[in-house]
């Protein structure tokens, strides 16, 4: 959970998060959005200008309407608001930033105003959130499905293979997770051509920005309350966003279910964050008692929240793998468990899109139809027809390895090159990837604000809808949509580094 965790830090039960929960961690800018915008690498974006396109979205931002003086006033207000409300990140130009709380802060990169988003699609994304939560839970109970779906991937991808090893150990020992906590974010883009809301991916581990999601929404609401008349915008059209408190509430309820008032919530972080536990520390200081209690540094742990553990970089040695296994073997509530983690892999996403697979997990036909409606085209690489198509028209596809955290996908001509390479090199490595239909969202005018300076640009957006799920055996305690985050990035691949690779936090304006 990167950034803006301030409301969590006040929760007394999180004993391991003292200092750095009030310190917004450093966020590499590239982390915000992951499509490479390097002009040599990125496929040309086939986007249509919002001014020329027939669309149900009216452009809310007519650049011509606003003089620089007015925009500067908005910028000033946004900067003051961000400073006062903790919409800030560590500024890497300060050496101590990131280790000393309160030193070297910079406002987070943001869109100055919310980006228009049709209300019907917003409703659709909210409506499917609890259905996706339930789906993840059901997949997590089907060990055979997880192992079988990922069996070929296992041979081609060492990281997935290690996760599967832990999963299979749990299956062998008949380990059951009675209390299951999922804090998810399902990401969507609105495909302009088909006019449909299509899922980019389902994140089941370490979903970033629930803290910032709420803050950027509140910033936009505040700006519209002050300047709405002049802008012609109504602050009420920016939907309320309680992502931070809803996630915190779900963690608190999981802690309650665990029912040990002395136990703490442990946040597992990457090594350059302080005052929480890294996987290596867990291996060093942790053990599981005979009754299953996880004890780390002498303290019983009720809930383990992973802010790391989703990329091979988080496992530089066997210690980290041992720690992951140790936690998994304990009775602590894991967010996520190994099964939830694997249920969020891209390979599973692709398996779910095959005919008949959703039916394995869901009975309700309406629910199945609602999920299926958001599925983009997804294929494995053992489909010769689709490989042929993708080699011919690589710009219509994205090639994805089994990785999280951004910067791993393959676009444009690189898709063709990689597919041809795989054809030459043989079958096995195929299974490390999936192919996905490329989604082309509408372009809209935005004011992007970073380092105190605004610039106008054309941008595309990705809506992430958070979902919280908590159950204890048969009792579903929470299953809800839990706020949202819009991420907006420039659609051009301008050179010079200023605009390139640059995305911002955003909220939505319903129209
Ligand atoms: P990660 O797990 O690394 O976040 P994603 O599947 O979310 O992987 O892809 C990263 C980014 O790539 C997304 O945020 C989105 O900007 C872009 N992207 C992914 N899939 C597609 C797609 N099918 N069409 C267009 N852009 C995509
Ligand atoms: Mg993603």
């Amino acid at each position: 959970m990167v950034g803006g965790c301030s409301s969590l830090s006040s929760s007394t039960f999180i004993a391991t998060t003292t200092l750095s929960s009030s310190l917004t961690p450093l966020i590499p800018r590239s982390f915000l959005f992951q499509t490479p915008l390097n002009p040599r690498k990125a496929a040309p974006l086939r986007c249509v200008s919002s001014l020329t396109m027939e669309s149900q979205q009216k452009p809310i931002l007519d650049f011509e309407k606003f003089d620089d003086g007015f925009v500067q006033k908005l910028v000033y207000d946004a900067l003051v608001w961000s400073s006062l409300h903790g919409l800030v990140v560590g500024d890497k130009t300060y050496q101590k930033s990131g280790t000393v709380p309160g030193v070297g802060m910079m406002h987070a990169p943001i869109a100055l105003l919310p980006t228009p988003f049709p209300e019907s699609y917003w409703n659709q994304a909210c409506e499917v959130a609890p259905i996706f939560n339930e789906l993840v839970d059901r997949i997590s109970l089907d060990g055979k499905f997880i192992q079988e779906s990922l069996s070929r991937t296992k041979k081609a991808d060492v990281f997935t293979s290690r996760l599967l090893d832990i999963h299979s150990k749990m299956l062998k020992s008949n380990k059951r997770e009675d209390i299951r906590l999922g804090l998810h974010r399902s990401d969507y883009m609105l495909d302009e051509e088909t006019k449909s809301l299509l899922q980019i991916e389902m994140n089941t581990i370490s979903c970033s920005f629930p803290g910032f999601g709420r803050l950027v929404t509140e910033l936009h609401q505040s700006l519209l309350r002050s300047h709405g008349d002049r802008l012609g915008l109504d602050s009420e059209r920016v939907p309320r966003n309680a992502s931070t408190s809803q996630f915190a509430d779900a963690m608190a309820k999981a802690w309650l279910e665990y029912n040990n008032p002395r136990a703490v919530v442990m946040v597992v972080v990457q090594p350059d964050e302080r005052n929480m536990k890294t996987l290596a520390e867990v291996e060093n200081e942790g053990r599981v008692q005979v009754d299953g209690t996880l004890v780390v540094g002498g303290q019983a742990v009720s809930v383990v929240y992973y802010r790391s553990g989703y990329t091979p970089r988080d496992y530089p040695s066997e210690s980290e793998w041992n720690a992951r296994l140790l936690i998994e073997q304990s009775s602590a509530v894991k967010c996520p468990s190994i099964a939830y983690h694997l249920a969020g892999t891209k390979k599973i996403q692709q398996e779910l899109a095959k005919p008949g697979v959703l039916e394995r997990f869901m009975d309700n036909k309406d629910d199945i139809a609602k999920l299926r409606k958001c599925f983009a085209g997804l294929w494995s690489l053992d489909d010769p027809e689709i490989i042929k198509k993708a080699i011919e028209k690589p710009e219509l596809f994205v090639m994805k390895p089994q990785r999280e955290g951004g910067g791993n996908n393959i676009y444009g001509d690189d898709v063709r090159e990689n597919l041809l390479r795989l054809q030459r090199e043989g079958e096995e490595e195929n299974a490390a990837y999936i192919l996905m239909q490329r989604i082309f969202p509408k372009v809209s005018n935005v004011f992007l604000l970073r380092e105190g300076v605004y610039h106008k640009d054309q941008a595309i957006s990705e809506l992430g809808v958070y979902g919280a799920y908590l159950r204890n055996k048969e009792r579903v305690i929470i299953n809800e949509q839990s706020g949202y985050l819009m991420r907006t990035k420039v659609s051009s691949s301008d050179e010079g580094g200023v605009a390139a690779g640059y995305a911002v936090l955003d909220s939505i304006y319903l129209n």
Side-chain angles (χ1 to χ4, degrees):
M1 201 189 293
V2 174
C5 302
S6 49
S7 80
L8 288 180
S9 64
S10 59
S11 314
T12 48
F13 60 84
I14 304 186
T16 51
T17 65
T18 48
L19 266 180
S20 42
S21 54
S22 57
L23 167 69
T24 309
L26 285 169
I27 300 166
R29 208 159 284 127
S30 60
F31 189 78
L32 280 175
F33 232 116
Q34 294 123 11
T35 302
L37 289 170
N38 177 339
R40 280 173 296 118
K41 286 199 150 182
L45 281 164
R46 208 191 44 175
C47 297
V48 196
S49 155
S50 56
L51 299 171
T52 55
M53 184 171 51
E54 183 237 61
S55 162
Q56 51 185 152
Q57 277 176 250
K58 288 192 214 87
I60 63 165
L61 253 190
D62 180 358
F63 283 155
E64 307 312 316
K65 234 167 76 184
F66 306 122
D67 58 77
D68 180 63
F70 177 56
V71 181
Q72 290 294 2
K73 171 75 182 132
L74 290 174
V75 167
Y76 184 84
D77 287 357
L79 294 178
V80 170
W81 195 99
S82 300
S83 313
L84 290 177
H85 294 85
L87 182 46
V88 291
V89 292
D91 178 352
K92 277 192 169 166
T93 56
Y94 285 82
Q95 208 198 343
K96 287 184 184 163
S97 171
T99 53
V100 184
V103 173
M105 294 297 192
M106 165 78 81
H107 75 91
I110 46 175
L112 186 58
L113 293 167
T115 296
F117 198 84
E119 190 164 8
S120 57
Y121 295 114
W122 162 246
N123 290 337
Q124 186 190 343
C126 291
E127 195 186 4
V128 290
I131 312 175
F132 271 119
N133 288 341
E134 190 65 48
L135 176 66
V136 169
D137 191 65
R138 301 216 178 145
I139 294 168
S140 81
L141 299 178
D142 193 338
K144 197 160 163 249
F145 173 78
I146 292 176
Q147 288 286 335
E148 278 173 5
S149 299
L150 291 163
S151 63
R152 286 192 58 231
T153 311
K154 187 180 167 101
K155 294 197 189 112
D157 184 299
V158 182
F159 179 63
T160 312
S161 162
R162 296 296 305 256
L163 296 173
L164 282 168
D165 285 344
I166 296 178
H167 182 251
S168 102
K169 279 193 179 121
M170 296 306 110
L171 289 179
K172 283 202 184 98
S173 65
N174 247 334
K175 177 78 170 48
R176 285 224 326 267
E177 299 294 322
D178 287 338
I179 308 172
R180 304 195 288 277
L181 172 65
L183 297 177
H184 306 142
R185 198 190 66 223
S186 182
D187 292 333
Y188 304 91
M189 280 180 173
L190 251 181
D191 188 49
E192 186 53 23
E193 199 156 301
T194 57
K195 298 267 187 285
S196 47
L197 181 84
L198 296 178
Q199 187 182 48
I200 294 286
E201 65 159 347
M202 176 74 178
N203 298 284
T204 59
I205 183 166
S206 202
C207 301
S208 51
F209 305 128
F212 278 149
R214 189 204 79 196
L215 284 171
V216 73
T217 299
E218 287 176 1
L219 163 69
H220 285 158
Q221 288 167 334
S222 161
L223 287 174
L224 296 200
R225 274 195 298 273
S226 306
H227 304 284
D229 286 349
R230 173 104 191 250
L231 288 162
L233 300 175
D234 174 5
S235 67
E236 296 292 314
R237 304 295 297 165
V238 179
R240 194 178 151 268
N241 190 352
S243 48
T244 323
S245 54
Q246 282 180 281
F247 268 22
D249 181 56
M251 277 195 215
K253 290 208 169 104
W255 176 86
L256 270 177
E257 287 300 312
Y258 190 82
N259 198 21
N260 174 355
R262 299 183 60 81
V264 300
V265 173
M266 177 170 73
V267 177
V268 180
V269 298
Q270 290 164 331
D272 53 359
E273 283 160 299
R274 305 291 166 99
N275 297 309
M276 304 176 195
K277 294 290 176 192
T278 64
L279 282 169
E281 286 163 354
V282 173
E283 202 233 8
N284 243 333
E285 302 165 24
R287 67 198 157 80
V288 176
Q289 292 176 339
V290 272
D291 69 351
T293 307
L294 174 67
V295 178
V296 179
Q299 278 181 302
V301 176
S302 53
V303 179
V304 178
Y305 180 81
Y306 287 97
R307 184 60 200 94
S308 75
Y310 55 88
T311 139
R313 285 193 301 279
D314 293 337
Y315 302 85
S317 72
E318 283 305 301
S319 299
E320 288 77 15
W321 287 112
N322 292 340
R324 183 79 196 258
L325 177 62
L326 184 82
I327 293 169
E328 206 59 34
Q329 285 166 331
S330 78
S331 64
V333 182
K334 299 122 200 124
C335 185
S337 67
I338 194 78
Y340 267 48
H341 182 174
L342 289 165
T345 52
K346 295 179 172 66
K347 179 64 192 169
I348 296 279
Q349 180 187 10
Q350 178 254 311
E351 282 290 318
L352 290 170
K354 283 187 184 167
V357 177
L358 278 181
E359 283 77 1
R360 179 169 176 155
F361 302 104
M362 324 279 299
D363 310 314
N364 186 314
K365 291 217 161 43
D366 283 351
D367 286 353
I368 292 173
K370 282 173 191 160
L371 294 184
R372 201 158 269 147
K373 201 171 162 195
C374 331
F375 289 172
L378 287 151
W379 305 272
S380 72
L381 270 61
D382 48 17
D383 179 341
E385 272 299 294
I386 218 68
I387 301 293
K388 192 165 161 266
K389 253 194 200 158
I391 288 173
E392 275 167 25
K393 288 191 178 298
E395 68 281 5
L396 299 183
F397 295 85
V398 181
M399 193 173 159
K400 298 187 176 187
Q402 303 305 306
R403 288 289 177 276
E404 299 296 324
N408 301 299
N409 296 343
I410 299 167
Y411 302 84
D413 288 342
D414 290 345
V415 170
R416 177 187 289 130
E417 274 165 36
N418 276 282
L419 290 175
L420 291 171
R421 177 180 61 80
L422 289 174
Q423 280 186 338
R424 283 195 304 271
E425 288 174 7
E427 301 283 288
E428 201 131 280
E429 208 200 321
N430 269 356
Y433 299 92
I434 61 157
L435 271 175
M436 184 170 181
Q437 159 197 355
R438 179 142 188 183
I439 301 165
F440 295 97
K442 175 174 137 65
V443 173
S444 51
N445 296 333
V446 289
F447 289 109
L448 305 159
L449 179 57
R450 58 176 189 136
E451 298 184 12
V453 180
Y454 84 87
H455 75 272
K456 302 174 191 178
D457 219 316
Q458 300 244 295
I460 55 173
S461 298
E462 179 173 351
L463 175 70
V465 174
Y466 296 106
Y469 187 86
L470 176 67
R471 77 185 283 159
N472 191 348
K473 294 184 183 147
E474 292 315 305
R475 191 161 46 92
V476 178
I477 299 153
I478 298 174
N479 183 12
E480 59 193 16
Q481 179 266 347
S482 305
Y484 66 97
L485 170 81
M486 187 80 144
R487 284 172 299 167
T488 291
K489 63 176 173 180
V490 291
S491 62
S492 67
S493 42
D494 264 345
E495 297 193 36
V498 184
Y502 161 41
V504 295
L505 301 164
D506 197 355
S507 76
I508 62 178
Y509 188 87
L510 298 180
N511 64 357

